[in-house]
Amino acid sequence: MRKVFLLFFVISGLTKAHEIKLQDSIITSTTGFEEGVLKENKNVTIISKDDLQKKEYKNLEEVLRDSPNVMIQKTFFGPVIDLRGNGERAISRVKVLVDGISINPIDESMGTLPINTIPVSIIETIEIIPGGGAVLNGSGTAGGVVNIITKSSLKKNHFFLDYGNMSYGTNKIVFGGGYNLNDKLYLDLSYGYLKGNGYRDGDSIETNSFKGTMIYDISKNQRLKFTGGKFLGNEDSSNSITRSMLNENRKKSGFPIESKNNRQSYSLDYEYKINKNFTLLSTFYFQNYKRKFIENSKADYTMDKFGTMPFDIFIPEVETRLNGIFKEKSLGAKIRGKCIYAQDKGELILGYDYNKTKLNRKTNITGFSEKYIVKNIPIFGDGTINRPVNLNIDINNKIYKETNGIYGLNKYEIVKNLQLTTGIRYEHSSFGGDRNSEFFLKTERPGHGGYKPEIVQTNRSFSDKKSSNNFAGELGLNYSYSDTGSFYGRYERGFISPMPGQITNKDFKGVYHSNNLKSEIFDTMEVGAKDFIGGSFISWSLFNTISKNEITLLEGNSHNPATKWWSYENIGKTRRIGTEIYGEQYFKKFILSEGLTYIHTKITEGKYKGNRVPLAPKAKLNLNIDYQWTEKISSGLTFNYIGSSEILEYSRKNLPKKSKISDYHFTDLRIQYQINNNFTLKCGINNIFNKYYNYSETESGVIPAPGRNYYLAGSLKI
C-alpha cells in the first residue's frame, strides 16, 4: 500500500502538460441549469462521453467502479452507489438522478437502485458531486449527488452502431440515431440488447432496452421535449458461498436466484427563455418499475415454545423458497426558474418539487424439512423427531411517500472574483402504509398414544401514517484568484426524512408497533481548491460531516424470517472526516490522471459507539494512464484500489459481531484503434493480473468478483 501512495504523489508532481479539457466543462447538477465547473464551490467529478468510450463497459455499474470517488456495494437486490463513507445506508443517503429525476427507492431494506437499466451508449456525461445538493434535491444527499445525463438534448443528425463480444459468452449490440424531421421537430431513437453468461456457474443475463426522444421547438425561445424508455431484463445468479467452497472453486454457484425486471420511464420537459435574464424550466415525469425474484436456499429455524409445544424446537436445513414481487410507481414534477440580475453579478433560482411514490411488495416464503429437534428434553434422547415440517409465510406491504418542496438558491458576486452562495429549502413529506403478514406451520408433535397434528397459524396487520417538516440550507464562498484557479469554503445543513418502511417496528412476539422516528440531520463543512498548476489540473477538498439522529436498525433472529424482529430508532450519531484529491496531466503522447479519496468514519453515539460506519471503505485510489502510440492507435491502463471496511452482523444468539472486509485492487488494460472518423475498434483485458477479490463478504459467505476477462468491440458513428 505504501508503494501505491508513493506512486500517486510522484505522478501528481509531473508537469509540462498542454491542454486540460475540464476548463470549459459545464454541469447542471448544482443548480438545475448549466454552470461552469471551475466556478462551483463544490468538488465536482465529470465522466465525459470520451471517458465512456475508452473501453467496452457492460453496464453503468462498471463505469462507476472506475470513478475516483465512487464506491460500489454489491447487494442481493443490485448495486448501490456510495459517496463519502455512508456504507450500508448509502441507498438512502446518496441521491441518484437520471436527467435530474431521482431513481432512489422508498424502501431501504429490500430496495434496488436500477442503474443497470440505463444503457451506457445513451449516456452523454455523468456528474458526481460528493457531499452536496440538499437545497436543490431535498432529502437523502448526505453523501452527495450522482446525475446521469443522456444524449437526448443533442439535435444532430446521426447514426451509431456498437457491438461488443466479452468473456463468458456475452454479446452486446446497441444502435440508434437522431434526425431533424423539419426545422422544429427532432426525433432520436435507440435500442440495446445484451445476452450472455456470468463469471459463476449458472449465471446468465438477457436484457432489452429502448429509448425514444422527441424535441419540438415551439418558437425561438420555447421548447418541448418528451422522453420515453423501457427496460426488460432476466437474470439468473446465485447467493453467497462459504469460504471453504470459495477456496475450492471461485466460480462455484450458491443457491440459485432468478430475477425479472421491467422498468418504464416517461418525462416531459418545457423550457421557456423569456428573455436573456430569465429562464423557466418545467419537468413532469412518471416511472413504473416491476421486479420479480425467486431465491432458493437452506436455513436453520429456531422456535421458542412454539404453538402448544411446551419446549423449544430446532428445525435444521429447512429447504426454503422466497418468491417476491415489487411494484413501484413514481409520479412527480420539477418547476424552476432562473433570474440573472445586477448586471450579471447575481443569479437567483427558485423552484418547486413534487413527488409521490407507491410501492407494493409481496413476498412468499415456503419451507420444508423432514425432521425437527426438541431441545433440552432428555426423554427424547438426542431430540430428533422424524416428522415433516411445512412452513409458509406471506408478507404484503403497501407503502407510499409524498413530498412537496420549495427552495431558493442565490449566487452573488460581492466584490470582483468573490462569489457568495446562499440557499434554503423547505420540504414536507407524508409517508406510511399497510402491513399484513400471515404465518403457517404444520407438523406433528409427540404426545400420549403417538404423534398428534400441530398447526400454528397467525395473521398480523398494521397501518401507520406519519409526516415530517424539514429545512435545508447552504452558505458558501468561492474566490477566483486567477482565470483558472479558485478556492472555496461551504457549509451545508441537510436532512434525511424517514422511509415509510422505517416507521413501524416488530417485536419478538411478531406484533407490529408504531415508533416515533425523526428525520436525520447532517451538517457538512468543506473547503477546497482547484487550479491549473504548471499545466496540470489539480482539485482538492477537505470535509467534515456530522450526522445527528441517525436512523439505526436494531434486529434479532435475523437468520429466521419466521421469528425475526426489528426496531428503527434515532440513537445514532456519526462523523465522517476525509479528503479528496484529483489530478490530471496532458503530455505530448500520454495523459495521466490520479484520484484519491480517504475517509475516516466513526459512530460517536448509540449502541455501536466507537465503531466505524459499516461497509464504508477507508480509501479509494484510482490511477489512469492513456498513451497515443500513433494517430490511430492508443492504449490505457486503469488501476483501482479499494480500502478495507467493517461489517456488523448478528449471530444466531442475537449478539452483534464485527468482521473485517479485506482491501483489494485490480488493473484493466485497453487498446483502441480508430480506423477512420466513423469506425473504431476496441479490445481489452479486465483484471489483467487476475487478482482475487470479492464483491461482498460476510462471516457466513462471500460473492466473488470475476477474474481476468476480455472484450472485443467495434463502434460505427455517422
Side-chain angles (χ1 to χ4, degrees), residues 613-649:
V613 173
L615 294 179
K618 286 184 177 180
K620 181 173 184 179
L621 176 64
N622 174 271
L623 302 175
N624 191 79
I625 302 175
D626 284 290
Y627 189 82
Q628 192 75 37
W629 297 90
T630 69
E631 185 179 347
K632 294 185 176 184
I633 300 176
S634 62
S635 64
L637 276 173
T638 298
F639 171 85
N640 282 289
Y641 167 85
I642 292 86
S644 63
S645 59
E646 294 179 352
I647 185 172
L648 281 172
E649 301 176 84

Side-chain angles (χ1 to χ4, degrees), residues 31-33 100 136 268-270 278-285 332-338 349-354 405-408 425:
T31 65
F33 296 86
L136 191 67
L268 178 65
D269 297 305
Y270 171 68
F278 187 76
T279 302
L280 176 67
L281 286 177
S282 300
T283 301
F284 305 91
Y285 61 90
K334 299 168 73 71
I335 301 171
R336 56 234 185 253
K338 179 174 74 171
I349 296 170
L350 299 176
Y352 165 73
D353 295 338
Y354 171 79
I406 56 173
Y407 61 89
R425 181 187 182 94

Side-chain angles (χ1 to χ4, degrees), residues 323-343:
N323 195 324
I325 301 175
F326 284 59
K327 296 180 180 179
E328 185 173 81
K329 294 183 179 180
S330 182
L331 179 71
K334 299 168 73 71
I335 301 171
R336 56 234 185 253
K338 179 174 74 171
C339 178
I340 307 297
Y341 65 95
Q343 298 179 336

Side-chain angles (χ1 to χ4, degrees), residues 154-337:
L154 298 177
K155 290 190 63 177
K156 293 181 180 179
N157 294 334
H158 72 283
F159 173 81
F160 72 92
L161 172 64
D162 296 335
Y163 171 77
N165 176 266
M166 309 168 198
S167 292
Y168 320 120
T170 300
N171 291 277
K172 184 181 80 168
I173 184 169
V174 184
F175 62 88
Y179 186 72
N180 286 282
L181 300 176
N182 53 46
D183 292 341
K184 292 180 175 292
L185 187 61
Y186 176 78
L187 184 65
D188 189 285
L189 301 172
S190 65
Y191 170 78
Y193 177 76
L194 182 144
K195 185 176 183 180
N197 299 316
Y199 174 67
R200 303 172 69 190
D201 297 336
D203 287 3
S204 67
I205 186 171
E206 182 177 15
T207 65
N208 289 268
S209 60
F210 171 82
K211 183 176 181 183
T213 298
M214 184 176 65
I215 300 175
Y216 180 69
D217 292 328
I218 302 172
S219 66
K220 183 179 179 180
N221 299 325
Q222 297 183 75
R223 171 182 287 189
L224 278 174
K225 181 176 73 174
F226 174 79
T227 302
K230 186 177 180 67
F231 174 88
L232 296 171
N234 298 321
E235 185 172 4
D236 292 333
S237 58
S238 59
N239 59 16
S240 62
I241 57 177
T242 64
R243 294 182 184 276
S244 60
M245 295 167 65
L246 180 75
N247 293 333
E248 292 176 4
N249 179 9
R250 288 187 60 83
K251 294 185 177 183
K252 187 176 181 59
S253 62
F255 288 103
I257 300 172
E258 304 171 28
S259 64
K260 295 183 178 181
N261 295 272
N262 184 339
R263 183 173 183 267
Q264 303 169 54
S265 61
Y266 306 95
S267 65
L268 178 65
D269 297 305
Y270 171 68
E271 180 182 10
Y272 182 25
K273 295 183 179 180
I274 299 175
N275 53 49
K276 67 175 184 178
N277 293 325
F278 187 76
T279 302
L280 176 67
L281 286 177
S282 300
T283 301
F284 305 91
Y285 61 90
F286 173 75
Q287 299 178 124
N288 187 12
Y289 187 27
K290 298 179 182 179
R291 289 186 292 140
K292 297 181 180 180
F293 61 91
I294 298 173
E295 181 194 21
N296 298 281
S297 63
K298 281 188 178 181
D300 297 334
Y301 282 40
T302 299
M303 309 291 185
D304 299 330
K305 293 183 173 56
F306 204 69
T308 61
M309 300 183 188
F311 38 71
D312 299 341
I313 67 170
F314 174 72
I315 313 174
E317 296 186 347
V318 180
E319 296 179 0
T320 60
R321 181 180 178 90
L322 186 150
N323 195 324
I325 301 175
F326 284 59
K327 296 180 180 179
E328 185 173 81
K329 294 183 179 180
S330 182
L331 179 71
K334 299 168 73 71
I335 301 171
R336 56 234 185 253

Side-chain angles (χ1 to χ4, degrees), residues 7-76:
L7 176 61
F8 170 77
F9 286 111
V10 169
I11 293 177
S12 296
L14 296 174
T15 57
K16 290 189 178 180
H18 52 81
E19 181 184 1
I20 306 297
K21 297 179 180 179
L22 290 176
Q23 188 169 8
D24 301 319
S25 295
I26 300 296
I27 62 171
T28 62
S29 302
T30 54
T31 65
F33 296 86
E34 292 186 349
E35 303 286 342
V37 66
L38 292 180
K39 294 184 179 181
E40 284 299 320
N41 66 337
K42 296 178 177 69
N43 183 26
V44 180
T45 297
I46 298 176
I47 301 176
S48 68
K49 179 171 60 176
D50 291 339
D51 296 326
L52 296 170
Q53 294 176 346
K54 284 181 179 178
K55 59 187 286 190
E56 185 67 11
Y57 290 107
K58 183 186 299 183
N59 50 42
L60 185 53
E61 175 188 346
E62 291 186 352
V63 174
L64 294 173
R65 286 187 184 276
D66 280 348
S67 174
N69 47 15
V70 174
M71 315 285 188
I72 297 291
Q73 301 173 21
K74 196 77 168 179
T75 73
F76 173 77

Side-chain angles (χ1 to χ4, degrees), residues 383-593:
T384 301
I385 308 296
N386 292 305
R387 286 294 184 270
V389 181
N390 289 282
L391 174 74
N392 188 84
I393 304 171
D394 284 306
I395 302 171
N396 188 3
N397 295 338
K398 295 181 179 180
I399 58 177
Y400 73 92
K401 187 170 187 177
E402 186 174 18
T403 300
N404 288 271
I406 56 173
Y407 61 89
L409 187 66
N410 187 69
K411 294 184 177 184
Y412 187 78
E413 190 176 27
I414 305 173
V415 296
K416 186 177 181 180
N417 298 329
L418 181 62
Q419 185 182 70
L420 172 68
T421 300
T422 56
I424 189 169
R425 181 187 182 94
Y426 166 74
E427 186 170 294
H428 172 79
S429 296
S430 59
F431 38 85
D434 305 317
R435 289 179 178 267
N436 181 273
S437 64
E438 297 180 3
F439 175 82
F440 176 86
L441 184 143
K442 180 181 179 181
T443 187
E444 295 179 352
R445 62 179 174 85
H448 296 291
Y451 291 94
K452 297 182 178 181
E454 178 74 22
I455 297 176
V456 178
Q457 188 169 5
T458 60
N459 190 314
R460 308 284 188 186
S461 297
F462 191 76
S463 298
D464 203 359
K465 181 179 179 180
K466 298 285 179 65
S467 64
S468 66
N469 296 283
N470 291 287
F471 289 90
E474 180 178 347
L475 177 65
L477 286 171
N478 188 78
Y479 178 65
S480 301
Y481 55 83
S482 69
D483 292 338
T484 59
S486 65
F487 61 82
Y488 67 88
R490 56 184 297 269
Y491 163 76
E492 181 173 306
R493 179 193 190 272
F495 59 90
I496 302 170
S497 56
M499 290 185 171
Q502 295 175 332
I503 62 175
T504 304
N505 296 341
K506 182 181 178 183
D507 64 23
F508 66 95
K509 294 181 179 180
V511 180
Y512 295 115
H513 301 277
S514 179
N515 58 38
N516 190 30
L517 205 63
K518 302 175 184 178
S519 297
E520 296 182 25
I521 304 298
F522 65 87
D523 298 277
T524 295
M525 299 288 292
E526 181 178 342
V527 295
K530 41 185 169 291
D531 198 356
F532 295 96
I533 302 175
S536 299
F537 176 78
I538 301 293
S539 174
W540 165 82
S541 65
L542 179 68
F543 61 89
N544 180 21
T545 298
I546 297 175
S547 295
K548 306 170 186 176
N549 290 331
E550 188 151 333
I551 297 171
T552 302
L553 172 63
L554 307 177
E555 60 182 344
N557 298 335
S558 57
H559 299 275
N560 186 346
T563 59
K564 180 180 178 179
W565 61 265
W566 68 82
S567 175
Y568 287 97
E569 301 179 18
N570 293 107
I571 65 172
K573 184 176 180 180
T574 60
R575 184 184 68 214
R576 297 165 175 86
I577 300 175
T579 187
E580 295 159 338
I581 307 171
Y582 180 78
E584 191 170 293
Q585 303 86 32
Y586 281 62
F587 295 81
K588 287 183 178 181
K589 289 199 171 186
F590 65 93
I591 304 169
L592 303 177
S593 64

Side-chain angles (χ1 to χ4, degrees), residues 125-141:
T125 57
I126 302 172
E127 299 171 356
I128 302 169
I129 306 171
V135 170
L136 191 67
N137 297 286
S139 175
T141 62

